[in-house]
Amino acid sequence: MTYWTEAMEPEKSTVHVAVLGLGYVGCVSAACLANLGHRVTGIDRDESKVHNISNGVAPFFEPGLEPILHESVSSGRLTASTSIGAIENADIALVCVGTPSEKNGNLGLDQLRRVISEIASTLPSRTKPLIVAIRSTVFPGTCEEHVIPAFAGNPLISVACNPEFLREGVAVKDFREPSLVVVGGTNDQAVGQVAALYSALGVPPCLVSLRTAEMIKYACNAFHAVKIAFANEIGALSARLDVDPGEVMTTLCEDTKLNIASTYLRPGFAFGGSCLPKDLRALTYRAKRLDLQLPLLESALPSNQHHLQRAIEAILDLPSRRLGVIGLAFKENTDDLRESPVVTLLEQLIGKGRQVRVYDPHIQLEAIYGSNRNFILQQIPHIGRLLDTSLQQTLDWADHIVIAQKLSPNHRAQIAQSGLPVTDVVSPSLAYASAPLTSSAR
Ligand SMILES: NC(=O)c1ccc[n+]([C@@H]2O[C@H](COP(=O)([O-])OP(=O)(O)OC[C@H]3O[C@@H](n4cnc5c(N)ncnc54)[C@H](O)[C@@H]3O)[C@@H](O)[C@H]2O)c1
């Protein structure tokens, strides 16, 4: 990883960055970008912040910031101003203004709207291109609704989104060793130029759509919050049960295949099976008996139920009458039907008068025993009459296919060949779009 050193000439970076808003994010970004060798102009309405920064003084406490700020200012790579006119020579404007909560919890866009209109006011005298990159946290659609229209199609302007992931208290370290670099936009060249600002940090950037770049920061922060709440709830229950909470969570984190991994982190179908629902129920029941509130864990099953219901409603909305459902077990490569969400799906489709046939490569009713057999016969007593023994049988009968289980490449190709419209409830897109399948695996 390369950082700025005295030996590097400031002129080597030809990119001129304007950082608008010199708060926690903007000031750290401005100082660290200058430290990487870029020419940076910081702009803020707050005169005292600008005064401090111009004198190499950090306007707030952040470990390691002041020496970088001081060095960047004294080398001439970083200047600060209260005037939007200072954006004149910039190639990239990094917008880092605040987006605080409104009283109702909604995202406040006043600072963003104002700074964007100030940038727009400089356009009549502008002769060189400008990339406006939104680094503030904004909701998906903000760039399309509020930023792009403000520039009224001016050909000199491109808009990108470059969310920030730094944490206060370790912000300089987080800038220099980013966990994630994300840039989104529709203009590939502009996206590449913004990503190149961080190339010296040696972290491959994720180049994504504009709306994904806006969404990712919310997804990350929600994930962090859920992780903390999860650890605290497991910790609280463990402590009540006389179990060492630290030992439980440290052991949980030892599993880097299923726990601290991307496993189970792709949007898909509802969960089911003989373990997750049962164990969640037992855990939350025990907590209740201990007068312990665990709202996050208690909400997991209702959340799963809502998720299943969304899929069922999307299928009920289809004009088709003869639905061929592929998959019956709670996931692929098993014949375990206990608490399979597909069984609930079938019950509701049948209850609403849809004709249904089902194919699951691993389900033969005569080969299912014990609690598994009892479960399915209790839920859908005439399931035997709905089951096909080959995929082709289902394809020949159905006018629409519902994919309720991950497909083998062969079955995917066979369904694609049929040309039947398909609703895939296990696909990560989750748009519940109805269209013929392509044979390429996802
Ligand atoms: N603080 C964090 O840890 C953090 C981390 C990642 C992302 N973010 C996001 O980054 C954004 C900025 O957060 P922050 O904590 O740095 O905010 P902040 O309130 O500390 O700083 C915002 C700055 O913008 C300035 N400003 C407002 N309007 C302006 C204008 N028209 N022209 C110039 N300057 C203007 C303000 O004077 C202020 O100095 C927010 O969207 C926040 O959600 C924050």
Side-chain angles (χ1 to χ4, degrees), residues 23-25 44-45 49 99 111 118 137 164 166 168 217:
Y24 286 90
V25 165
D44 201 292
R45 302 164 61 79
K49 270 186 193 165
T99 50
Q111 292 183 39
E118 285 168 359
T137 302
E164 172 57 66
L166 60 76
E168 288 173 21
K217 174 74 186 177

Side-chain angles (χ1 to χ4, degrees), residues 20-26 43-46 49 84 96-100 111 114-115 118 135-138 164-168 217:
L20 293 110
L22 296 171
Y24 286 90
V25 165
I43 301 172
D44 201 292
R45 302 164 61 79
D46 183 329
K49 270 186 193 165
I84 191 69
C96 302
V97 296
T99 50
Q111 292 183 39
R114 183 165 181 164
V115 81
E118 285 168 359
R135 204 152 170 73
S136 303
T137 302
V138 293
E164 172 57 66
F165 300 99
L166 60 76
R167 296 164 298 168
E168 288 173 21
K217 174 74 186 177

Side-chain angles (χ1 to χ4, degrees), residues 251-270:
T251 311
L252 180 145
C253 293
E254 284 296 309
D255 177 348
T256 53
K257 279 190 188 161
L258 302 184
N259 293 346
I260 311 303
S262 57
T263 323
Y264 305 131
L265 279 174
R266 279 174 68 87
F269 197 31

